[in-house]
Amino acid sequence: MATRRGFLAGMLASGFAPVPSWADAGSPAFLSAARKPDGDYILVGLDALGAERFRIPLPARGHAATAHPTRPEAVAFARRPGTFAMVMDCRNGDVLSRLDCPEGRHFYGHGIFDASGDLLFTTENDYDAGQGRIGLWDARNGYARIGEFASHGVGPHDVRLMPDGTLVVANGGIDTHPASGREKLNIPTMRPNLSYIDIDGQLIDHVEPDELLASIRHLTVRPDGLVGVGMQWQGELADAPSLTATHIRGQVLREIGRGAELAGYVGSIAFSGDGSQLAVTSPRAGVAQVFDSQTGSKIEQIRKEDVCGVAALNSGMLLTSGLGDVFDIGQTAQRIAAHDLSWDNHLVQVY
Amino acid sequence: MKFVFAFMLAPTMAFADPRIDVALDTHILPRFAALTDATAALAAAESCEVEEEWNTAATAWIGVSHLRFGPTEIDNRAFALAFWPDPRGATPKSLAALLTDDAPAISDASVAGRGLYAMEFLLFDPAFANIEGRCDLIADIANDAHLTALAIQSDWEDRYDAVLRSTGNEIYRNDTEALQELYKALTTGLDFTSDMRLGRPLGTFDRPRPARAEMRRSGRSLDNVRVSLTSLEELALILAGEELMPDVEARFEKAIDQAGSVASVVGSADLSIVENVADRIKVEALQQRVVELRAFLSQDLGPELGVIEGFNSLDGD
C-alpha cells in the first residue's frame, strides 16, 4: 500500500536527499565475521591495508556476509542451520532488518544481491523435502520475503551473480536436517552440481563433478563469466581428486590442482582483481594455493596456519586466518596486519 | 559433525610408536572380529526370533562405531551396517519397499534398508510385527550385514593393519599421522555420542525429542551411550601417555558413572525420560560430562599428538 510516509521515503531514497554510501562507513574494502578473544562474535569492515574500519556485534557465530552494492548495508548470516540473518547499517551498527526464514527452511550462510541492490538471493534448505531453495528478499522494501525457487539440487551453499544478471549456485549435494544438526545424511548417494539459474528460477545450465563425493561449495566469478569452483571431498583423503575447478557455461568443468594437497577441503576461493590468478585456501592443510586462471598451473603455495578467507584486492588478493592475521598475496604473502581476532571462514569484497 | 584438525609439522619418530600396535592389537582388530562373530551368529540363527543375537551384534557395532576411516569407508560399508540418524524416516520406507519385493537383493538396496538399524525396525517395531515376508527379510538382512562385517574385518587384517602399523606410506606419512587418525576417531566418537546419541533425544528444554533416540525401539538408547564411552575410554587410555592416563581415566569414569545414575531411573533405557524435567537433568548432566571430557582431550591430549584445532580448520563450512 502506498502510504504518504512510504512515498516520502521513496523520494528520499531516489536522490532528493543525500543517499548513504559505503564512504559513510569508512569505505571498507572487505567484510569479515570474526570471534573476539572473549568469545563474542562481530562483523568487521577492513580496508585495503587490513586495518579495521568498523565493528558491529553479532548475536552468534556468523558465516559469510554480503555487502549491498551501493548502500552501506551488510547482511550477516547465521551459520547453517541458522534461520535468521541480520541487515546491519555499517555506519552505526544499527540492525535495519532481520530476515527470518519461512517455516520449514533454514539458511546455508551465503547470499548475494542483484546488480542494482534491489533484490537479495539466499541459499536455503527445504529440509523436510531435502531440496535446495533460493529465497528472494526485497531490499527496497525492508527485506520482505517475496518468493523462492528451486536451487536445482541438494544443499546449496554459495550463490553468486553472473555478469549477465543470472545466478550461479553451488549445490553441495549433501542432505542435512536440523533434527540431526550438521550430520550428513546422504553421503552414499550425494549428487553435487553447479547450476546456472535465471532470476525467475529457470535452470539455464548445470554440470556435475566427475567424482560425486566432491561437494561443490564455494564460488568466485570473473567479470567475463569464468566461474571458479571450490570443493570439499567426502571420501577417503587418499582418494581425493582435484577440488578446484573453473567453468564456462556450456562447457565441462576444468579441474585444477590436487585435492590431497588441500587436505580434501577448500575453505574459500577468489579470483585476483585482474582475473589472471585464482586462489584457494585450506585451513585444514594450513595452505593457500594460487593458480594461473588460464593455464591452471600452480604459481604459488603459501603455508599459513588456519588460513581461510581470501578476496581480490586491486590486481592481487588478501588472505585472512583464524590467528587474526591479514596477508597480501601480491607482496610475497607478507603479513600486512595482525588483529586480536579470529577471522571466520570468508573475506567478502565490498563493491 | 565431522570435524577436522590442522596438522602441525611434527617431528618424525625414529622408532615405531608402540601405541599404534597396542591400538590395533587390543582395540581395533579384536573389536572388528567381535562384530564379525556377532553378525555370523545373527546370520546363522534358524528362526527370526533373533532379538538376543541382534542385541549382541548391536553392542559390537556401537563399540567400533567411532572407527570411521579406512575399511569402513569403502563401498559404503559402515552406512550399510548402520544407517543412523535418519530424520527423514528412510529406513521404514526402504523396508516397506523390500517387503513388497519377492526376492530382494539386499546388497543392491538403499543403505537405509540394510544393516542393524533396519533390523531393529523388523524385530521391535509393532508396525512390522505381523507383516508378510518379515522373517525372510530378517534373514536376508542378517546375511548381508554379516558379509559387510566380514568385508570390513578382512580389509583390516589383509590391508589396513599394515597401512596403519607400518607408516611411511601414501596414507600416513609417519606414525604421528597414524596417531592423529586414531585421535580423530576418539574425538569424533565423543562428539557423536554427545551430539547425536544424547543431543537428539534431549532436543530443547521446551521441546524434548524422545522419538529421536538411537535404537529406542529395542530400548538400547542409554546402553549405547555406555557402550560407546567404554570403547572410547579403551582407545583414549592407549593414546594417553603415562602422565595423562589417570586424568583421562577419572574423567571417563565420571561420565560412565553418570550414565549409571541415569540407568537407575525407571524407564530410562530408551531415554524417553528426557520429557520428565527431574530426570531430564540427569541426562543433561551426562551430556555435560561428555562435553567436558571432549574439551579436556582437545586441550591436553590433542596438542601432545601434534593436533591443534584451529578456528577455521576445526569447524569450517
Side-chain angles (χ1 to χ4, degrees), chain A residues 112-144:
Chain A
I112 195 79
F113 284 97
D114 70 353
S116 64
D118 291 344
L119 286 177
L120 173 71
F121 302 93
T122 55
T123 49
E124 300 174 10
N125 187 8
D126 174 356
Y127 50 78
D128 283 327
Q131 290 295 317
R133 311 293 291 174
I134 302 297
L136 270 68
W137 310 79
D138 186 353
R140 295 162 303 188
N141 182 23
Y143 291 87

Side-chain angles (χ1 to χ4, degrees), chain B residues 208-229:
Chain B
R209 300 290 199 144
R212 292 179 177 173
E214 185 190 36
M215 295 189 186
R216 66 180 171 86
R217 291 170 180 80
S218 57
R220 288 198 49 91
S221 313
L222 177 60
D223 204 41
N224 284 356
V225 173
R226 193 188 54 74
V227 171
S228 76
L229 287 175

Side-chain angles (χ1 to χ4, degrees), chain A residues 102-118:
Chain A
E103 182 76 23
R105 306 278 181 276
H106 71 72
F107 287 124
Y108 277 104
H110 286 266
I112 195 79
F113 284 97
D114 70 353
S116 64
D118 291 344

Side-chain angles (χ1 to χ4, degrees), chain A residues 27-75:
Chain A
S27 301
F30 307 101
L31 303 175
S32 178
R35 186 178 64 185
K36 295 198 295 174
D38 65 6
D40 288 346
Y41 296 96
I42 50 175
L43 180 71
V44 180
L46 288 171
D47 67 17
L49 299 173
E52 181 175 324
R53 288 296 175 93
F54 65 79
R55 66 169 65 188
I56 299 172
L58 293 175
R61 183 166 179 189
H63 187 60
T66 299
H68 190 278
T70 56
R71 303 197 296 260
E73 292 176 12
V75 186

Side-chain angles (χ1 to χ4, degrees), chain B:
Chain B
M1 190 214 64
K2 268 200 187 140
F3 54 91
V4 261
F5 305 82
F7 296 118
M8 300 274 292
L9 289 175
T12 315
M13 285 171 215
F15 300 100
D17 193 298
R19 290 176 287 186
I20 299 169
D21 291 331
V22 178
L24 279 164
D25 296 332
T26 70
H27 182 70
I28 298 172
L29 298 175
R31 283 185 175 272
F32 276 112
L35 179 65
T36 305
D37 291 348
T39 53
L42 185 60
E46 302 211 332
S47 84
C48 55
E49 284 158 27
V50 290
E51 286 82 356
E52 218 180 295
E53 290 87 346
W54 176 86
N55 196 43
T56 308
T59 304
W61 165 255
I62 299 297
V64 295
S65 62
H66 58 292
L67 297 170
R68 292 293 301 269
F69 58 93
T72 56
E73 304 313 296
I74 292 172
D75 300 335
N76 292 321
R77 287 169 185 156
F79 288 106
L81 267 182
F83 185 79
W84 190 84
D86 177 25
R88 258 184 261 299
T91 293
K93 278 180 228 160
S94 299
L95 286 173
L98 286 170
L99 283 163
T100 58
D101 202 331
D102 268 352
I106 304 296
S107 60
D108 296 334
S110 152
V111 288
R114 299 169 65 184
L116 298 166
Y117 291 72
M119 275 190 91
E120 192 207 16
F121 272 85
L122 294 173
L123 291 171
F124 298 96
D125 193 305
F128 290 93
N130 297 308
I131 215 156
E132 204 191 321
R134 171 179 171 271
C135 257
D136 289 342
L137 188 55
I138 287 173
D140 289 346
I141 295 179
N143 274 324
D144 173 65
H146 175 54
L147 291 176
T148 307
L150 190 61
I152 296 173
Q153 190 202 357
S154 312
D155 199 9
W156 263 109
E157 290 178 354
D158 302 343
R159 179 178 69 96
Y160 219 79
D161 178 324
V163 170
L164 199 64
R165 207 184 290 270
S166 313
T167 59
N169 50 55
E170 256 188 30
I171 300 178
Y172 307 108
R173 281 178 298 180
N174 50 48
D175 282 2
T176 302
E177 290 190 354
L179 288 169
Q180 287 168 341
E181 181 85 275
L182 294 172
Y183 172 80
K184 187 169 74 169
L186 168 62
T187 52
T188 310
L190 281 170
D191 285 337
F192 193 83
T193 287
S194 103
D195 296 345
M196 297 292 141
R197 295 190 171 117
L198 292 166
R200 276 177 59 88
L202 275 169
T204 61
F205 185 82
D206 294 326
R207 199 167 177 204
R209 300 290 199 144
R212 292 179 177 173
E214 185 190 36
M215 295 189 186
R216 66 180 171 86
R217 291 170 180 80
S218 57
R220 288 198 49 91
S221 313
L222 177 60
D223 204 41
N224 284 356
V225 173
R226 193 188 54 74
V227 171
S228 76
L229 287 175
T230 305
S231 179
L232 290 165
E233 180 182 18
E234 188 175 282
L235 177 57
L237 291 175
I238 294 167
L239 293 178
E242 233 170 80
E243 204 177 308
L244 274 181
M245 210 182 275
D247 226 353
V248 170
E249 188 168 19
R251 283 166 191 271
F252 267 100
E253 290 315 313
K254 231 166 126 183
I256 292 167
D257 285 353
Q258 183 62 30
S261 155
V262 175
S264 69
V265 178
V266 175
S268 60
D270 64 359
L271 287 175
S272 59
I273 57 165
V274 293
E275 284 189 305
N276 181 342
V277 177
D279 299 331
R280 177 188 174 83
I281 295 168
K282 291 191 172 180
V283 183
E284 285 180 351
L286 170 57
Q287 187 186 38
Q288 193 50 39
R289 294 295 87 75
V290 180
V291 168
E292 288 161 9
L293 174 55
R294 165 73 170 90
F296 167 77
L297 293 176
S298 61
Q299 203 183 317
D300 289 75
L301 180 57
E304 199 256 317
L305 298 171
V307 179
I308 307 290
E309 299 172 32
F311 183 53
N312 292 300
S313 57
L314 169 69
D315 203 356
D317 206 342

